[in-house]
């Protein structure tokens, strides 16, 4: 911190918890933040919304000390501060819960919470003191946990509570939540919102970043809209009647899109036929347990399930990434023993659930990422030789067609926002007219404008005969885009749902095993 460090911070009850004045941040070829102003009232949930590439992530990185602004002022509780690292922000009472959880699966809840901030009694960690402090924080903020549970055994909602406890344990009174509902089903979203209300009661301030405008309206006390790197408006939904459509127009200049697939485009040709597929863990547990299904040309089959019930393993088995038993046929050909490369060469596109770990080389330029997984097919190669010139030209096409916000194709993938990374991946996987697209969360972390574009691409490809296996935590998307939905629980299909009649609430209940849906 600057000379106005934490010792000089005074709790001015009249001052905003966070105030950003005239924030500018420039990168080569792009201005990420342009004279942004933001004021966050203490003890409120303040939502920040905007398109991918609008500058939200950069602004939060500046507030959390991960980046320094080129110009502008940061005030915390009325005191001007200068953050040089996240440690400075933490010292000032700011904590950040990232979209991608940062937990060690082989550690307990308690060990994860105190990791890096362990209390000591001489040379030994004082676990008793840590447990007492964690229990006190959990009770004060309405957070229910089992401190001795192994993180590997927990679901997404529990993991998120641990991340929140981690920042509270370090003294945070201002919490930044980045896309906190992206992987949650409806009842988990409700539980998170109950938690946020308890955090407010305890005097905390929450900055809530999301693309889900209905959720923003449900939880936010204040909303700031960012477009093209600058603030374009602030809304108090408690005082002014505002709708999701109003916010969408402020964000992108257009109305809120809806995920719908009008008309029946299903043809007789079976593109994917799966029989008795199982995936067994190293411990001998059936993660995917004897499932069978098929997808025809022009059909979108959705899989609904709480994360961790076998969705990822189904995708990996279909792509030949993990060992499995059973039969997988692609256009009547048995591909069960084929490599991932061979399956892709046959015409299977793949959007994995973890874009940064499974779909991108973060330290490689965009045009090299265009080639990733498709190095042996046009336009990336000719015969045995790679063709970088053609790959670069096609990357330019994807950037334009899918509105990837970037100063150029030589930019590293790590420099893009999460949403723009996703648009690049979707564009790549839908290139070359695949016959089957296996897609996990294709619009996760995407703004409403980009969502609409991707839905349109999927609709047009479906009309042209593309078969799609769709997994999504966005139940509105799943219901709107699918021709049929299969409910997955503990590695088995337990129900089929009719997208024309099922509601998100009914689907969410069925996913947890607490209710049934009619086919």
């Amino acid at each position: 911190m600057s000379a106005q460090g934490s010792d000089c911070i005074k709790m001015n009850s009249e001052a905003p918890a966070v105030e950003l004045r005239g924030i500018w941040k420039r990168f080569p070829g792009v201005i990420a933040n342009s004279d942004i102003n933001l004021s966050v009232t203490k003890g409120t949930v303040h939502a920040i919304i905007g398109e991918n590439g609008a500058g939200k992530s950069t602004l939060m990185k500046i507030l959390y000390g991960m980046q320094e602004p080129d110009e502008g002022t940061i005030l915390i509780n009325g005191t001007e501060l200068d953050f040089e690292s996240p440690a400075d922000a933490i010292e000032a009472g700011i904590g950040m819960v990232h979209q991608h959880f940062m937990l060690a699966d082989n550690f307990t809840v308690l060990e994860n919470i105190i990791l890096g901030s362990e209390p000591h009694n001489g040379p030994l960690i004082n676990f008793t003191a840590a447990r007492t402090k964690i229990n006190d924080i959990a009770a004060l903020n309405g957070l229910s946990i089992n401190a001795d549970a192994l993180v590997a055994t927990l679901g997404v909602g529990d993991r998120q509570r641990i991340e929140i406890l981690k920042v509270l344990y370090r003294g945070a009174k201002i919490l930044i939540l980045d896309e906190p509902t992206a992987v949650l089903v409806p009842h988990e979203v409700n539980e998170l919102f109950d938690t946020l209300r308890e955090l407010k009661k305890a005097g905390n301030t929450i900055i809530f970043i999301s693309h889900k405008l209905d959720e923003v309206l449900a939880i936010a006390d204040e909303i700031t809209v960012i477009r093209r790197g600058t603030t374009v408006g602030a809304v108090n939904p408690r005082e002014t009647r505002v709708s999701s459509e109003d916010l969408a127009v402020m964000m992108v200049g257009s109305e809120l899109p809806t995920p719908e697939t009008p008309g029946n485009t299903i043809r007789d040709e079976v593109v994917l036929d799966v029989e008795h597929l199982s995936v067994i863990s190293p411990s001998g547990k059936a993660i995917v347990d004897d499932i069978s299904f098929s997808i025809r040309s022009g059909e979108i089959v959705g899989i609904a399930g709480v994360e961790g019930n076998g969705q990822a393993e189904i995708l990996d088995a279909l792509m030949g990434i993990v060992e499995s038993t059973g039969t997988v046929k692609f256009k009547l050909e048995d591909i069960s023993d084929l490599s991932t490369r061979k399956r892709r060469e046959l015409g299977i596109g793949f959007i994995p659930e973890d874009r940064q770990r499974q779909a991108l080389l973060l330290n490689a330029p965009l045009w090299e990422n265009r080639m990733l997984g498709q190095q042996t097919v046009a336009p990336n190669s000719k015969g045995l030789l790679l063709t970088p010139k053609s790959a670069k030209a096609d990357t330019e096409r994807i950037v334009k067609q899918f509105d990837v916000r970037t100063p150029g194709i030589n930019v590293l993938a790590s420099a893009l926002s999460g949403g723009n990374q996703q648009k690049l991946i979707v564009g790549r996987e839908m290139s070359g007219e695949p016959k089957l697209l296996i897609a996990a969360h294709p619009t996760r972390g995407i703004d409403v404008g980009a969502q609409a574009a991707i839905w349109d691409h999927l609709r047009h490809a479906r009309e042209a005969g593309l078969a799609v296996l769709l997994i999504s935590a966005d139940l509105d998307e799943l219901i709107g885009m699918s021709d049929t939905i299969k409910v997955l629980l503990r590695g088995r299909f337990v129900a089929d749902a009719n997208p024309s009649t099922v509601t998100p609430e009914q689907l969410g209940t069925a996913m947890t095993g607490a209710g049934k849906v009619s086919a």
Side-chain angles (χ1 to χ4, degrees):
M1 280 192 212
S2 68
Q4 303 110 319
S6 62
D7 290 340
C8 299
I9 298 177
K10 297 178 180 179
M11 295 297 293
N12 182 346
S13 60
E14 300 300 321
V18 175
E19 190 173 4
L20 304 179
R21 299 176 183 169
I23 299 294
W24 286 78
K25 185 63 181 179
R26 305 172 182 86
F27 297 101
V30 64
I31 298 175
N33 290 157
S34 171
D35 194 26
I36 282 188
N37 296 286
L38 174 70
S39 180
V40 180
T41 306
K42 290 176 186 171
T44 63
V45 176
H46 191 113
I48 298 178
I49 62 173
E51 294 181 272
N52 296 120
K56 305 184 303 296
S57 295
T58 300
L59 189 66
M60 291 303 99
K61 287 177 181 177
I62 288 172
L63 179 57
Y64 193 54
M66 298 172 70
Q67 294 177 350
E68 293 188 51
D70 297 323
E71 300 175 38
T73 304
I74 300 172
L75 295 97
I76 304 299
N77 297 312
T79 299
E80 182 178 339
L81 299 175
D82 181 12
F83 299 148
E84 297 179 357
S85 71
D88 289 341
I90 292 168
E91 188 179 350
I94 301 171
M96 187 166 183
V97 177
H98 298 272
Q99 182 179 344
H100 299 279
F101 299 153
M102 299 180 180
L103 300 173
D105 281 356
N106 58 334
F107 280 20
T108 66
V109 170
L110 184 148
E111 290 167 340
N112 269 279
I113 291 172
I114 68 173
L115 188 62
S117 298
E118 300 89 345
H120 284 83
N121 186 2
L124 302 176
I125 297 175
N126 190 339
F127 285 103
T128 300
R131 186 181 299 273
T132 299
K133 182 177 177 180
I134 291 170
N135 287 339
D136 289 346
I137 293 171
L140 177 63
N141 295 283
L143 292 163
S144 168
I145 58 151
N146 176 3
D148 297 313
L150 201 63
V151 165
T153 67
L154 302 179
V156 177
D158 289 329
R159 289 172 183 242
Q160 191 170 65
R161 280 191 288 275
I162 297 167
E163 290 281 14
I164 292 172
L165 273 169
K166 275 175 59 179
V167 298
L168 293 174
Y169 180 84
R170 285 155 180 76
K173 296 295 289 181
I174 299 167
L175 285 73
I176 304 169
L177 305 185
D178 185 10
E179 294 287 347
T181 66
V183 295
L184 303 182
V185 295
H187 80 275
E188 291 174 324
V189 172
N190 292 335
E191 290 173 0
L192 172 64
F193 285 1
D194 287 342
T195 296
L196 297 187
R197 293 182 185 106
E198 290 296 325
L199 289 168
K200 276 173 52 179
K201 278 186 195 175
N204 297 289
T205 302
I206 297 107
I207 298 176
F208 183 92
I209 302 170
S210 178
H211 291 105
K212 299 182 179 181
L213 303 184
D214 56 338
E215 293 179 357
V216 166
L217 288 171
I219 193 63
D221 301 299
E222 304 168 339
I223 302 169
T224 294
V225 183
I226 298 177
R227 187 198 297 175
R228 301 284 181 172
T230 193
T231 39
V232 295
V235 176
N236 185 326
R238 305 292 179 259
E239 297 177 358
T240 305
R241 295 186 65 179
V242 63
S243 66
S244 299
E245 289 74 17
D246 296 330
L247 293 178
V249 170
M250 291 178 70
M251 280 173 55
V252 298
S254 60
E255 293 185 0
L256 192 68
T258 57
E260 296 177 350
T261 50
N264 187 344
T265 62
I266 302 174
R267 307 172 187 181
D268 291 334
E269 179 191 11
V270 175
V271 176
L272 179 69
D273 189 23
V274 179
E275 297 179 357
H276 305 295
L277 182 72
S278 293
V279 176
I280 309 300
S281 72
S283 65
K285 178 185 176 184
I287 304 173
V288 178
D289 192 2
D290 191 26
I291 65 168
S292 300
F293 67 100
S294 62
I295 309 177
R296 289 174 286 174
S297 176
E299 181 180 24
I300 298 178
V301 173
I303 295 181
V306 176
E307 194 160 312
N309 275 269
Q311 301 96 310
E313 288 76 14
I314 290 174
L315 302 191
D316 288 348
L318 294 178
M319 291 305 300
I321 296 170
V322 298
E323 290 187 12
S324 61
T325 58
T327 304
V328 179
K329 291 182 180 179
F330 176 69
K331 301 184 71 175
L332 303 181
E333 178 185 350
D334 189 341
I335 63 171
S336 305
D337 295 325
L338 294 186
S339 67
T340 301
R341 190 192 79 181
K342 291 292 185 184
R343 298 186 197 208
R344 292 181 68 89
E345 288 175 348
L346 287 173
I348 301 178
F350 180 42
I351 301 172
E353 65 174 8
D354 189 331
R355 56 179 167 248
Q356 295 192 353
R357 187 171 64 87
Q358 297 173 291
L360 293 171
L361 297 173
L362 293 175
N363 292 320
L366 302 191
W367 69 268
E368 288 186 11
N369 275 281
R370 162 64 186 96
M371 303 172 75
L372 189 63
Q374 300 181 2
Q375 302 94 310
T376 59
V377 297
N380 304 315
S381 67
K382 187 175 183 180
L384 298 176
L385 298 177
L386 294 175
T387 53
K389 184 176 180 180
S390 298
K392 290 178 180 179
D394 200 58
T395 307
E396 296 278 12
R397 174 193 64 80
I398 291 172
V399 165
K400 183 177 180 180
Q401 185 175 351
F402 286 82
D403 191 29
V404 181
R405 303 286 174 85
T406 174
I409 63 171
N410 290 311
V411 167
L412 299 184
S414 60
L416 297 186
S417 68
N420 281 299
Q421 290 174 351
Q422 188 74 2
K423 287 188 277 187
L424 178 71
I425 294 163
V426 173
R428 177 186 68 202
E429 297 305 317
M430 293 188 69
S431 297
E433 299 183 352
K435 306 301 182 217
L436 170 68
L437 178 66
I438 298 173
H441 314 289
T443 64
R444 177 182 283 176
I446 294 285
D447 62 65
V448 291
Q451 264 188 336
I454 288 174
W455 289 336
D456 280 341
H457 286 299
L458 286 173
R459 289 186 195 104
H460 294 322
R462 169 180 173 264
E463 291 170 2
L466 179 69
V468 180
L469 179 63
L470 174 65
I471 290 175
S472 178
D474 184 337
L475 299 188
D476 288 321
E477 174 177 74
L478 205 60
I479 292 170
M481 294 299 295
S482 301
D483 294 294
T484 187
I485 299 173
K486 306 186 82 66
V487 180
L488 186 72
L489 181 64
R490 291 186 286 274
R492 297 182 67 90
F493 289 137
V494 295
D496 288 340
N498 184 343
S500 299
T501 57
V502 73
T503 67
E505 291 74 22
Q506 291 170 336
L507 202 53
T509 301
M511 288 160 54
T512 64
K516 296 181 179 180
V517 294
S518 55

